């Protein structure tokens, strides 16, 4: 018995260290470029792509926040993210309740349609939305082109954000005890009172997690926004892309670092509330 343990021990030990090595290499491969970008956003160099350290400085953050066009694009992104998040959470909550509570014909088809924006490539969705808005503009205004503005981007963001919110909220609803609902009805509570006083408080962690997830997806989106935005409605990711096309500057590194940090904070909060989600 002890001989078998001694033979299996070195194998298990080497396998454990192999898995750790693969994990470390994978982590470095994925996150090293982000870490380098953040570090060199403080590099006192005129070129953002310069890999030679010239000294520590924060002037490019000041320059980025002083760039009016960049700040306008950031304000556009925040406006789009806030509005699309509010509507996405409302639609996601209603969709989650329908899928969780009711049985109706062609429910699997409806579930598939709700999940469709999650699985299809973003570029396909961006092109289809651009064609849809253009067609709607031609139908309404004849030969006059459709005015691409913030409304188009908000509609597009709601289209791909609310399914994520619906999935998170539906996961939370799986832990709901229906006996509480039945007891409230036996005591004379109406459907609206049950929803407001019992179901909605139970959904709260899922609503917050879905909102944070939707906000993060909307704030970071580039592909769909690129196809549905106009020349006068530039968002933060699209503006950074247009700046990178000419040259990579430390100002771009600083702006990208701010966006990365915001995304990390929101993702952390979303994962935290999702963890609360899974706890009954």
């Amino acid at each position: 018995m002890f001989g078998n343990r001694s033979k299996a021990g070195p194998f298990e030990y080497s396998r454990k260290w192999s898995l750790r090595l693969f994990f470390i290499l994978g982590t470095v491969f994925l996150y090293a470029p982000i870490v380098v970008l953040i570090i060199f956003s403080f590099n006192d160099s005129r070129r953002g792509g310069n890999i030679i350290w010239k000294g520590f400085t924060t002037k490019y953050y000041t320059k980025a926040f002083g760039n009016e066009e960049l700040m306008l694009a950031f304000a556009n992104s925040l406006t789009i993210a806030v509005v699309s998040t509010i509507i996405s959470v409302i639609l996601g909550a209603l969709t989650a309740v329908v899928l969780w509570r009711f049985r109706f014909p062609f429910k699997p088809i409806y579930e598939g349609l709700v999940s469709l924006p999650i699985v299809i490539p973003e570029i396909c969705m961006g092109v289809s939305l651009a064609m849809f808005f253009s067609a709607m503009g031609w139908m309404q205004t004849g030969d006059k082109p459709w005015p691409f503005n913030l409304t188009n981007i908000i509609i597009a963001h709601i289209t791909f954000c609310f399914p994520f919110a619906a999935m998170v909220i539906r996961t939370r609803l799986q832990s709901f005890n229906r006996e509480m609902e039945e007891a409230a009805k036996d005591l004379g509570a109406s459907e609206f009172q049950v929803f407001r006083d019992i179901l909605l408080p139970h959904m709260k962690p899922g609503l917050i997690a879905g909102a944070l997830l939707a906000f993060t997806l909307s704030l970071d989106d580039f592909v769909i926004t690129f196809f549905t935005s106009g020349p006068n409605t530039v968002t933060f990711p699209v503006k950074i892309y247009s700046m990178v096309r000419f040259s990579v500057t430390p100002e771009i590194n600083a702006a990208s670092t701010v966006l990365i940090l915001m995304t990390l904070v929101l993702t952390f909060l979303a994962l935290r509330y999702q963890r609360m989600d899974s706890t009954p």
Side-chain angles (χ1 to χ4, degrees):
M1 180 173 65
F2 290 101
N4 292 335
R5 286 186 178 181
S6 62
K7 291 180 181 179
F11 175 75
E12 292 179 358
Y13 182 80
S14 61
R15 184 177 64 177
K16 183 186 297 184
W17 276 103
S18 299
L19 293 174
R20 290 179 180 178
L21 180 62
F22 280 116
F23 174 77
I24 293 172
L25 292 176
T27 303
V28 171
F29 176 78
L30 291 173
Y31 297 107
I34 298 176
V35 174
V36 170
L37 183 145
I38 295 174
I39 293 174
F40 278 89
S41 67
F42 298 99
N43 186 20
D44 191 8
S45 174
R46 295 182 179 180
R47 297 179 58 188
N50 192 351
I51 60 174
I52 300 175
W53 185 260
K54 298 291 185 179
F56 182 85
T57 183
T58 58
K59 64 182 180 181
Y60 293 108
Y61 284 88
T62 304
K63 188 176 180 181
F65 283 106
N67 189 325
E68 294 183 2
E69 294 183 356
L70 193 61
M71 288 299 99
L72 178 60
F74 186 65
N76 287 339
S77 291
L78 285 179
T79 302
I80 294 167
V82 169
V83 176
S84 62
T85 296
I86 294 172
I87 301 176
S88 295
V89 169
I90 295 173
L91 292 177
L94 296 176
T95 303
V97 171
V98 168
L99 293 175
W100 167 71
R101 173 174 289 180
F102 300 106
R103 295 181 179 178
F104 49 88
F106 308 109
K107 182 178 178 180
I109 297 176
Y110 179 67
E111 287 185 277
L113 291 176
V114 171
S115 304
L116 192 61
I118 300 177
V119 297
I120 64 174
E122 281 196 16
I123 190 168
C124 297
M125 191 168 180
V127 172
S128 62
L129 286 169
M131 294 178 63
F132 171 76
F133 290 135
S134 298
M136 291 298 295
W138 179 83
M139 290 172 60
Q140 293 178 4
T141 59
D143 295 331
K144 186 178 179 181
W146 175 264
F148 284 84
N149 49 35
L150 290 182
T151 304
N152 297 329
I153 305 176
I154 290 172
I155 294 173
H157 283 208
I158 292 170
T159 303
F160 76 86
C161 282
F162 97 87
F164 288 93
M167 296 302 137
V168 173
I169 297 170
R170 187 183 182 187
T171 302
R172 176 62 180 174
L173 287 172
Q174 298 299 326
S175 62
F176 181 72
N177 186 0
R178 297 204 177 200
E179 293 180 356
M180 297 176 60
E181 181 181 8
E182 294 173 0
K185 289 181 179 179
D186 290 341
L187 294 173
S190 63
E191 288 286 347
F192 177 75
Q193 289 175 326
V194 170
F195 178 81
R196 182 192 62 189
D197 299 331
I198 298 177
L199 190 59
L200 196 59
H202 182 83
M203 292 167 57
K204 185 178 178 181
L207 294 173
I208 296 174
L212 291 171
L213 182 59
F215 187 87
T216 304
L217 292 170
S218 176
L219 187 65
D220 292 348
D221 182 74
F222 168 77
V223 176
I224 295 176
T225 307
F226 182 80
F227 283 97
T228 56
S229 62
N232 297 323
T233 53
V234 179
T235 62
F236 196 63
V238 175
K239 179 62 179 177
I240 292 177
Y241 170 75
S242 64
M243 294 169 67
V244 170
R245 291 176 60 189
F246 296 99
S247 64
V248 180
T249 63
E251 185 180 353
I252 296 175
N253 291 345
S256 301
T257 300
V258 172
L259 186 60
I260 289 171
L261 293 178
M262 287 188 63
T263 304
L264 289 177
V265 171
L266 292 172
T267 304
F268 170 77
L269 293 175
L271 291 174
R272 182 180 177 183
Y273 278 106
Q274 269 189 308
R275 202 171 292 116
M276 292 176 58
D277 233 7
S278 58
T279 304

